[in-house]
């Protein structure tokens, strides 16, 4: 496949080169302006003959100003140590065996960072360079990814520091002064250590889940799931922990379709949503389980899925935050947490082929609704 517009540009009436005309009937060419990356092409004399729209956007230099100029003037790049890039690499006068420059971070005037790679085009091996083809990429997407990784590391470090400090402090105290404590005091310290160890285990499990979600390797082992019984278990656990039974309202619309899902992961979704309603919401926590249409496109059947709605009567989620609820590190309040739970919930639901939404409940609080298709394991299909 050829790339249109990279041949030597003709001279205009004012003596400056203009963009090479594109032959719209030349066959399967590619318009350089349609490329997502910046493309800069220099001829055998080092003059710019191709400068696409992405290159103009990344460098903030109009194509008309770049075409016809020498490559080092149209694209004045420096490395991170302040050295002029084209003088350093000398594409036209350097070693004749070179065919490319691997991608690396360079700086535009003003200090803006870009990713640059180059290809040296020769008519024959060891011959003179006929064209230098330069690819430019904006680093903003990579910078966002790096910031996200840095935030994840900082969050993990912060969340691990507190329980590990507690574990270390209590175990060191018990080892040094075991005989001075009563049995009740020892039990209290060991229970605290046990709870903090559970907290560390949960955090590690969250990190593993995020890794699997991001890489598309989250496995779903489908089994028959009684979603009503699963919700009831969570409610009973909260009541046993001291919550009032009247605070929970479970409503199930029968008949429900047979649901095949990963029971452990469904429990993880329910645990997170109900915990959010209890911790951040107010009033009654209502859980509605209903049959619904499949969330999968092209699947018919009025009752081909099961929907679970968890709502509360608290202040709810601000409208401006609705689109960030399922992103990493979003926190609905300052009451702790890693801000990873709802991101993982969304990944689990989508791994099942389902959907999850957030909105405002009738009582004014937050309302989360997820829908799972009633799929069966492959061996039963």
């Amino acid at each position: 496949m050829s790339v249109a517009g990279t041949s030597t540009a003709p001279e205009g009436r004012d003596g400056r080169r203009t963009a090479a005309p594109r032959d719209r009937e030349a066959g399967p060419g590619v318009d350089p302006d349609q490329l997502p990356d910046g493309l800069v092409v220099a001829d055998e004399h080092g003059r710019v003959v191709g400068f696409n729209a992405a290159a103009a956007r990344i460098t903030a230099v109009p194509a008309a100003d770049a075409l016809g100029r020498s490559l080092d003037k149209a694209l004045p790049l420096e490395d991170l140590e302040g050295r002029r890039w084209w003088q350093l690499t000398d594409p036209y006068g350097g070693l004749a065996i070179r065919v490319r420059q691997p991608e690396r971070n360079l700086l535009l005037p003003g200090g803006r960072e870009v990713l640059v790679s180059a290809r040296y085009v020769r008519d024959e091996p060891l011959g003179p360079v006929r064209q230098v083809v330069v690819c430019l990429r904006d680093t903003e997407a990579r910078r966002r990814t790096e910031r996200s990784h840095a935030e994840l590391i900082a969050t993990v470090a912060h969340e691990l520091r507190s329980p590990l400090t507690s574990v270390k402090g209590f175990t060191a105290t018990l080892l040094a002064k075991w005989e001075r404590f009563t049995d009740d005091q020892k039990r209290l310290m060991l229970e605290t250590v046990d709870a903090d160890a559970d907290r560390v285990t949960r955090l590690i499990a969250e990190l593993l889940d995020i890794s699997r979600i991001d890489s598309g390797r989250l496995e779903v082992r489908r089994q028959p799931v009684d979603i009503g019984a699963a919700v009831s278990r969570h409610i009973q656990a909260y009541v046993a922990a001291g919550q009032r039974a009247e605070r929970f309202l479970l409503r199930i619309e029968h008949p429900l379709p047979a649901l095949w899902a990963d029971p452990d992961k469904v429990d993880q979704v329910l645990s997170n949503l109900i915990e959010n309603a209890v911790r951040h919401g107010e009033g009654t926590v209502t859980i509605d389980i209903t049959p619904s249409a499949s969330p999968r496109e092209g699947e018919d059947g009025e009752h081909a899925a099961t929907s679970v709605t968890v709502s509360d009567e608290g202040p709810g989620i601000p409208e401006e935050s609705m689109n960030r609820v399922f992103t990493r590190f979003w926190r609905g309040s300052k009451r702790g947490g890693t801000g990873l739970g709802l991101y993982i919930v969304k990944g689990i639901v989508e791994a099942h082929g389902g959907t999850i939404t957030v909105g405002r409940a009738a009582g004014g609080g937050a309302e989360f609704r997820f829908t799972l298709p009633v799929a069966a394991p492959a061996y039963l299909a």
Side-chain angles (χ1 to χ4, degrees), residues 42-47 71 90-94 98 129-132:
D43 63 13
E44 66 269 23
H45 304 297
R47 298 288 174 180
L71 183 58
D90 191 13
Y92 294 94
R98 294 185 306 171
V129 173
R130 295 302 181 189
Q131 278 188 333
V132 175

Side-chain angles (χ1 to χ4, degrees), residues 252-295:
I252 303 177
E253 182 181 328
H254 293 289
L256 290 174
L259 175 63
W260 286 75
D262 189 314
D264 292 336
K265 290 183 172 54
V266 169
D267 259 352
Q268 194 173 349
V269 171
L270 293 173
S271 174
N272 195 291
L273 296 182
I274 297 174
E275 180 183 356
N276 279 349
V278 171
R279 178 185 296 180
H280 305 295
E282 297 172 3
T284 302
V285 175
T286 303
I287 302 101
D288 290 297
I289 304 174
T290 60
S292 66
S294 174

Side-chain angles (χ1 to χ4, degrees), residues 148-168:
S148 178
H149 289 163
E151 288 175 1
L152 182 59
I153 292 170
T155 299
V156 171
H158 175 75
E159 291 295 325
L160 284 175
R161 184 183 297 115
S162 177
L164 289 178
T165 300
S166 172
V167 168
K168 177 63 177 175

Side-chain angles (χ1 to χ4, degrees), residues 74 118 218 343:
L218 187 66
Y343 177 82

Side-chain angles (χ1 to χ4, degrees), residues 107-130:
L107 300 175
L108 290 168
R112 184 177 179 185
E113 195 170 323
V114 289
L115 296 171
V116 181
S117 58
R119 185 80 178 180
Y120 304 150
V121 180
R122 307 175 191 272
D123 290 340
E124 57 185 24
L126 306 183
V129 173
R130 295 302 181 189

Side-chain angles (χ1 to χ4, degrees), residues 230-252:
V231 172
S232 295
R233 286 195 301 272
H234 285 281
I235 293 175
Q236 290 166 9
Y238 277 104
V239 172
Q243 292 286 335
R244 294 179 297 105
E246 296 77 17
R247 189 176 181 192
F248 300 93
L249 174 60
L250 172 59
R251 299 186 296 204
I252 303 177

Side-chain angles (χ1 to χ4, degrees), residues 57-60 106-114 138-139 143:
R57 172 179 56 79
I58 293 171
T59 62
L106 296 176
L107 300 175
L108 290 168
R112 184 177 179 185
E113 195 170 323
V114 289
D138 198 333
T139 62
R143 192 177 295 115

